[in-house]
Amino acid sequence: MVNLTLKFAACLRAIDMKVSTAEVLDCVNHLKLIDVIDEDLFKTVLKTNFAKSRRDHRTFDHAYDLFFHQMNSNIRLEDIKANENLVAANEIDILQKECVDQLAANLEMDQINQALINFLSGEPLTYMKMLRELQTKIEVARVINSNLGQLTERLQIMLKINAIRNLIPQFSGGNFDMPGSNKQKRLNQRLEERLDNAYQLLVKEPVPENESLNVVTRNQKRSQKLGDIPFANLSQTQIEEMRETIRQLVRKLNDIVTLRFASRNKGILDIKKTLRKSAKYHGLPLELKFRNKPLRKGKIVALCDVSSSVWSAARFMLNMLYSLQDCFSKVKSYIFVAQVADVTDFFDRYDTNDAVEKILNEADIEYNVLTDYGATLLDFKTNYMNVLDKKTTLIIIGDGRSNYLNPREHILQDMREKVRRIIWLTPEPEKFWRTGDSQIMTYKTYCHELRVCRNLNQLNEFIEELVI
Amino acid sequence: MYFKDIDDVEKRLESANYISSKEIAIIVFLATATEKPILIEGPAGVGKTELAKAIAASLNHELIRLQCYEGLDEAKALYEWEYAKQLLYTQMVKEKVQDVIKGAKTLSEAVEKIADQEDAFFTDRFILPRPLLQAISSKNPVVLLIDEVDKSDPEFEAFLLELLSDFQVTIPEIGTRKAETIPLVFLTSNNYRDMSDALKRRCLHLYIDYPERDAEMRIVRLKIPGIDETLLRRLIDTINNIRKLDLKKKPCISETLDWAKSLIALQAKDLTRDVVLNTLNVILKYRTDVDLAISNIDKVIAS
Ligand SMILES: Nc1ncnc2c1ncn2[C@@H]1O[C@H](COP(=O)(O)OP(=O)(O)OP(=O)(O)O)[C@@H](O)[C@H]1O
Ligand SMILES: [Mg+2]
């Protein structure tokens, strides 16, 4: 039982689930407490110990199925209980071993073939590790603006899977010399299924569950003159008007925040002040003075797409964020097309409105390139990852239209692990999310919140929830 | 020994008015048998808090609850010095101060003498225990519910981690307090943010989803005995259809119960189109959600 649990844990680690030794030990102890013959029970015990958030459930189920059903179709829970010797050697298993050994002898044993051979013998670990490495290796290699590298590597694996598939009939008859026998058919079928599994793993990674994602696509109607006009359609005079409206909204919000600050956030007793006051009452501390606690809204990091459709929304969001700066411990902002530029400095030097105008002309960034979210994420990861911390709310504002380039969504997962929350704002209504080169459906798995933000009402509702 | 076996968990929860699934029973059994905290995740209103309450009730343990929020700190979670009381006492014992400093020749000598007495003001008498200290200090075993831990700050989470691994706290002025009995700990989360790996490592994980059809019917029967079976079936099917809509907030079990109660109050014998239209606001809290349900009304009403 220990061995099996360890092996399974290794598989989970190979697909990037974080399983610690302590958890393996816990799990083994738990298995001793139950009747492992009941599969529901068995699986629940593994799951509660190894998949510690709902996000991991899909990946876990996938791995469980692969490990216990597809790979080790001959594991019987009775045997797990009885002894460590899981694989009761029957004829088929012997045939399988001979066949796989022969395959190995007839193939050029490079890394890919070795992994596939192990996979065929029911040891999926090396293959899974290889796929995982493929993902990260390509990321580091930085194949600019394309995912060609990744595609060629995947293609190679596919070709080798097919090569093995073609070889199987030659060797599956073993020394029985009975091609077409029942046993051979069963063995062929088993090996074919495994190759299918290997192929599936290659082309389809399980995506994390993200049910708790808060998707906001509709909002309460508010009667505001400019409230429902899409940012992108505003005329120059309306933009001026918009600034005034925003100024008012911001003032209102600031008032609410200050009020809350005064009434609710009584901090700890301020001894000095209390004693000073007590002088009035012959030294009796009748008036207790409390130290006001600063508001604890963490840091904001905003990452904005500057392509024109998005920028029309982003500019107003930045405007509001900076007008409400005092509500946060820090606001940092970045813009991107295919690289990232830090524009925080503009807001430190200029008035908010001027800063927004200047950014578009003066930021240190190449504008005449295709929008590339994957490259942007990679650039952010390489150069700015250290600005993220557990107090950070990362706001990404963009339509996720990435010209069919590699989305590199795994980087967003890395970012998610560093921050408190990721909120994605898109100016596109939901009905366009699945169209063309939009990657919103890919990225949304890694966000805590996804909102449509294309007019003032929506922006206002969002900012309100953020600061209050 | 808390529970004999998994069936025992299920039975005793039911007698505490909680309908558990097999999975819940298994995980509760393992957690209690090995004294590990359970981290419960799930949508709002599926009975996360209720589970901790029911466990406490079925074991006859006191339930101590800590509600988490942004900005929650040790002073609100663990203990606080009762400054007001301390100040009051200093005033009342003013005269005593004369006695204490009698015989002191210099000012600094007097200060020394007072300092020797300082400890008198940092004793249990002046401590205001908050839920975590209460849970640790209790002589009898307790169930500690740390509700909505995802709303707390990372610093607090780190502090919680220490507590969950040693079940002891150090109060600088007094010393270390070790738990007399290890509390059964339940943490709930709505996934507002991800919890740290370190915290997850210490807990068993339990995901509670919306209940299966049969389970939800049992819950309603339990809370509203005598409800008409046909009405109940249609009610549950309709609410499950409504849950499938793309809502801002899906109706949860308490809404199912509220709905059933209002239908009975209205003496509605059946779930007709009109009845549903008139009572949608009992189960849907947002105007936009009500609108969405109305525009799908014929699809959601179960036959
Ligand atoms: N399995 C159950 N058996 C009996 N009653 C239940 C069950 N599940 C939920 N309920 C009922 O549903 C109500 C809501 O449950 P509860 O408050 O525990 O939800 P919650 O998951 O803690 O929600 P939130 O995330 O909003 O805190 C409870 O008052 C209880 O009456
Ligand atoms: Mg609750």
Side-chain angles (χ1 to χ4, degrees), chain A residues 320-345:
Chain A
M320 283 190 97
L321 276 183
Y322 278 94
S323 313
L324 289 164
Q325 260 195 80
D326 294 341
C327 300
F328 310 106
S329 64
K330 200 185 229 168
V331 181
K332 292 196 73 95
S333 28
Y334 301 85
I335 59 167
F336 67 87
V337 180
Q339 306 147 266
V340 181
D342 183 347
V343 294
T344 312
D345 193 37

Side-chain angles (χ1 to χ4, degrees), chain B residues 16-21 24 40 42-53 65 67 147-148 188-190 208 211 215 218-220 222-223 249 252-255 257:
Chain B
N17 275 348
Y18 190 89
I19 306 291
S20 79
S21 65
I24 292 178
I40 312 176
V46 288
K48 301 187 288 296
T49 310
E50 191 77 7
L51 174 62
K53 290 188 191 162
R65 178 171 178 174
Q67 179 69 41
D147 222 353
E148 305 192 4
T188 77
S189 159
N190 272 332
I208 307 185
R218 278 172 66 203
I219 296 173
V220 179
L222 193 72
K223 306 254 161 159
K249 179 167 181 323
C252 59
I253 302 175
S254 29
E255 267 99 41
L257 292 170

Side-chain angles (χ1 to χ4, degrees), chain A residues 18 20 22-23 26 29-30 33-34 38 40-41 44-45 47-49 51-57 211-212 214-220 264 266 268-269 271 274-275 282-285 288 293 296-298 390-391 416-417 420-421 430 448-449 461 465, chain B residues 6 22-23 26-27 29-31 33-34 36 39 41 43 69-73 75-76 80 83-84 87-88 90-91 94 150-155 190-197 200-207 209 246-248 286-289 292:
Chain A
K18 301 192 178 87
S20 68
E23 285 164 311
D26 283 342
N29 284 332
H30 286 155
L33 291 173
I34 59 145
D38 179 344
D40 284 347
L41 248 163
T44 305
V45 175
K47 201 162 172 172
T48 188
N49 277 292
K52 295 280 174 83
S53 96
R54 175 66 168 163
R55 276 181 79 69
D56 293 336
H57 279 185
E211 275 169 2
S212 58
N214 181 14
V215 183
V216 182
T217 53
R218 290 165 289 131
N219 66 316
Q220 310 291 88
R264 210 194 60 171
K266 285 251 169 79
I268 61 165
L269 189 85
I271 303 269
T274 307
L275 287 181
H282 299 288
L284 280 178
L288 298 182
K293 261 191 305 188
R296 300 183 41 131
K297 287 282 171 185
K390 278 289 170 195
K391 300 228 135 200
R416 179 177 167 123
E417 279 165 24
R420 179 178 174 83
R421 278 165 71 71
E430 195 177 358
H448 292 87
E449 197 168 313
E461 199 171 296
E465 278 181 30
Chain B
I6 296 166
K22 180 89 181 289
E23 200 177 7
I26 296 170
I27 294 172
F29 174 72
L30 294 176
T34 56
K36 290 193 73 92
L39 173 62
E41 262 184 290
Y69 51 87
E70 211 174 330
L72 172 67
D73 55 13
K76 292 278 177 292
E80 215 171 354
Y83 296 103
L87 282 172
L88 196 67
T90 52
Q91 294 304 315
K94 235 178 186 168
D150 52 331
K151 299 281 163 57
S152 68
D153 299 313
E155 291 92 345
N190 272 332
N191 245 322
Y192 180 75
R193 68 178 174 89
D194 304 338
M195 305 315 296
S196 73
D197 292 330
K200 288 190 276 188
R201 223 175 287 141
R202 282 177 179 67
C203 304
L204 290 186
H205 181 262
L206 169 62
Y207 179 78
D209 209 340
D246 179 24
L247 301 168
K248 206 159 165 174
Y286 288 92
R287 187 71 240 159
T288 44
D289 285 349
L292 189 69

Side-chain angles (χ1 to χ4, degrees), chain A residues 110-340:
Chain A
D110 56 7
Q111 194 207 356
I112 298 178
N113 275 334
Q114 185 62 58
L116 286 169
I117 288 293
N118 291 350
F119 195 88
L120 278 182
S121 1
E123 300 281 349
L125 191 57
T126 32
Y127 183 70
M128 287 158 93
K129 271 194 179 143
M130 184 176 73
L131 292 188
R132 193 43 49 168
E133 269 163 26
L134 181 69
Q135 185 66 43
T136 42
K137 191 168 69 194
I138 301 295
E139 221 167 68
V140 176
R142 241 204 128 144
V143 184
I144 307 274
N145 280 350
S146 98
N147 48 4
L148 213 59
Q150 186 164 4
L151 285 182
T152 33
E153 293 238 4
R154 278 174 198 265
L155 201 62
Q156 270 193 35
I157 300 179
M158 263 178 228
L159 290 175
K160 294 200 168 160
I161 290 179
N162 281 340
I164 294 182
R165 200 187 290 277
N166 292 333
L167 278 181
I168 287 177
Q170 274 185 48
F171 300 115
S172 59
N175 292 331
F176 285 64
D177 276 331
M178 298 183 293
S181 77
N182 232 354
K183 283 195 191 98
Q184 186 183 8
K185 268 193 210 134
R186 267 167 57 205
L187 180 60
N188 276 348
Q189 198 185 346
R190 181 195 280 184
L191 293 178
E192 292 259 342
E193 269 169 19
R194 286 198 179 160
L195 285 178
D196 288 345
N197 281 327
Y199 183 80
Q200 284 302 322
L201 282 175
L202 178 65
V203 294
K204 231 184 15 215
E205 274 181 286
V207 187
E209 191 101 46
N210 198 15
E211 275 169 2
S212 58
L213 171 73
N214 181 14
V215 183
V216 182
T217 53
R218 290 165 289 131
N219 66 316
Q220 310 291 88
K221 284 269 174 293
R222 298 173 190 231
S223 48
Q224 244 165 38
K225 211 165 54 152
L226 293 166
D228 282 329
I229 308 177
F231 290 125
N233 299 352
L234 292 174
S235 68
Q236 193 54 42
T237 39
Q238 280 173 324
I239 290 183
E240 301 292 330
E241 269 179 69
M242 189 66 97
R243 289 198 188 130
E244 184 49 38
T245 321
I246 286 183
R247 238 194 303 279
Q248 288 166 13
L249 285 175
V250 163
R251 201 175 312 126
K252 208 178 75 197
L253 274 174
N254 258 326
D255 287 349
I256 298 174
V257 172
T258 333
L259 210 72
R260 187 178 64 138
F261 179 55
S263 69
R264 210 194 60 171
N265 275 295
K266 285 251 169 79
I268 61 165
L269 189 85
D270 188 331
I271 303 269
K272 264 194 216 145
K273 272 194 197 157
T274 307
L275 287 181
R276 213 178 298 140
K277 280 279 170 194
S278 73
K280 275 207 305 211
Y281 312 101
H282 299 288
L284 280 178
L286 289 183
E287 254 182 74
L288 298 182
K289 290 283 160 194
F290 294 89
R291 223 175 272 160
N292 271 334
K293 261 191 305 188
L295 257 193
R296 300 183 41 131
K297 287 282 171 185
K299 185 159 98 181
I300 300 284
V301 172
L303 184 57
C304 304
D305 186 341
V306 289
S307 67
S308 61
S309 60
V310 182
W311 182 246
S312 56
R315 59 187 298 164
F316 292 114
M317 188 198 70
L318 287 174
N319 188 331
M320 283 190 97
L321 276 183
Y322 278 94
S323 313
L324 289 164
Q325 260 195 80
D326 294 341
C327 300
F328 310 106
S329 64
K330 200 185 229 168
V331 181
K332 292 196 73 95
S333 28
Y334 301 85
I335 59 167
F336 67 87
V337 180
Q339 306 147 266
V340 181

